[in-house]
């Protein structure tokens, strides 16, 4: 009876986290859709190509809409062993990618604000670099960080308290650390271009 109750609790936690994940991605999708539809509030410059700017934001909004639906749509797959393994791998990849992306970009933006790093932004005809750094630092990258942590939480809840959970967390932490180091070294020109995401 305790095993059945525990399984129900895990399923309920997965459902709650998936709904939060969906809402979080939907929020960012709306932000991108606003710019795709021609919104200008909060813009920190003039893009070289307005049609390209609208297209990039439209594609971003669609990708984020898919990301909003994905965690809820895949909830039934958690009940099957192969589905569970696949979803744990997906959670790992998204968690590592988003957290690493956030950390690398936060470090870049802090260095840029401090005047220690010049970021080449050829997409913009005119740009307020300080406003761009602050918007990324205070809005965009926190979104990626929370998104990554939520995907990680979704997997950890499903892994229980044993060796599998520790292995998942340790491998994810190591991957984030290694990719962040490579990303920062690449962004600062210490090594050649190394695009990780």
């Amino acid at each position: 009876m305790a095993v059945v109750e525990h399984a129900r609790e895990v399923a309920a936690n997965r459902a709650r986290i998936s709904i939060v994940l969906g809402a979080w991605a939907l929020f960012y999708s709306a932000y991108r859709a606003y710019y795709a539809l021609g919104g200008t509030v909060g813009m920190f410059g003039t893009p070289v190509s307005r049609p390209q700017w609208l297209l990039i934001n439209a594609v971003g909004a669609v990708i984020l809409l898919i990301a909003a639906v994905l965690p809820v749509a895949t909830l039934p797959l958690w009940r099957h062993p192969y589905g569970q393994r696949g979803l744990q791998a997906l959670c790992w990849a998204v968690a590592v990618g988003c957290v690493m992306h956030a950390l690398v970009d936060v470090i870049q933006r802090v260095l840029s604000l401090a005047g220690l790093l010049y970021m080449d932004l050829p997409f913009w005809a005119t740009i307020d670099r300080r406003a761009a750094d602050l918007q990324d630092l205070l809005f965009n990258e926190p979104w990626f960080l929370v998104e990554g942590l939520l995907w990680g939480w979704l997997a950890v809840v499903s892994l229980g308290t044993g060796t599998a959970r520790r292995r998942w967390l340790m491998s994810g932490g190591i991957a984030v650390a290694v990719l962040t180091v490579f990303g920062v070294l690449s962004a600062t020109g210490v090594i050649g271009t190394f695009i990780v995401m």
Side-chain angles (χ1 to χ4, degrees):
M1 193 64 165
V3 173
V4 172
E5 191 58 41
H6 177 69
R8 281 189 189 143
E9 186 181 328
V10 169
N13 285 335
R14 265 198 304 256
R16 282 191 283 271
I17 296 165
S18 295
I19 290 166
V20 170
L21 256 170
W24 188 244
L26 195 58
F27 161 70
Y28 204 58
S29 177
Y31 162 72
R32 287 292 172 204
Y34 168 76
Y35 286 126
L37 295 171
T40 58
V41 173
M43 285 185 65
F44 43 75
T46 307
V48 171
S49 167
R50 183 159 172 76
Q52 185 183 25
W53 167 253
L54 297 176
L55 178 62
I56 287 169
N57 280 287
V59 169
V62 169
I63 290 169
L64 289 160
L65 193 56
I66 292 167
V69 172
L70 187 65
V72 177
T74 57
L75 273 171
L77 296 176
W78 285 104
R79 290 189 293 248
H80 307 287
Y82 290 115
Q84 218 174 62
R85 281 189 220 127
L87 289 170
Q88 286 163 357
L90 174 67
C91 287
W92 188 94
V94 175
V96 167
C98 285
V99 171
M100 174 276 308
H101 181 286
L103 294 176
V104 170
D105 276 19
V106 163
I107 292 167
Q108 278 185 279
R109 296 302 183 159
V110 168
L111 291 173
S112 175
L113 282 168
L116 300 172
L117 177 67
Y118 176 81
M119 295 174 62
D120 185 27
L121 303 169
F123 182 75
W124 297 94
T126 63
I127 188 166
D128 179 340
R129 289 184 178 277
R130 180 174 168 74
D133 287 342
L134 288 172
Q135 185 181 56
D136 201 47
L137 191 59
L138 301 174
F139 182 71
N140 297 328
E141 299 320 319
W143 182 87
F144 277 100
L145 181 62
V146 170
E147 180 78 357
L149 293 174
L150 284 171
W151 277 97
W153 187 22
L154 182 59
V156 167
V157 162
S158 303
L159 286 166
T161 57
T163 305
R165 177 189 265 192
R166 285 191 298 275
R167 195 176 304 140
W168 192 97
L169 286 167
M170 187 177 294
S171 65
I174 290 169
V176 166
V178 169
L179 291 172
T180 299
V181 167
F182 274 106
V184 171
L185 291 175
S186 175
T188 55
V190 175
I191 61 172
T193 302
F194 180 80
I195 299 172
V196 288
M197 191 169 186

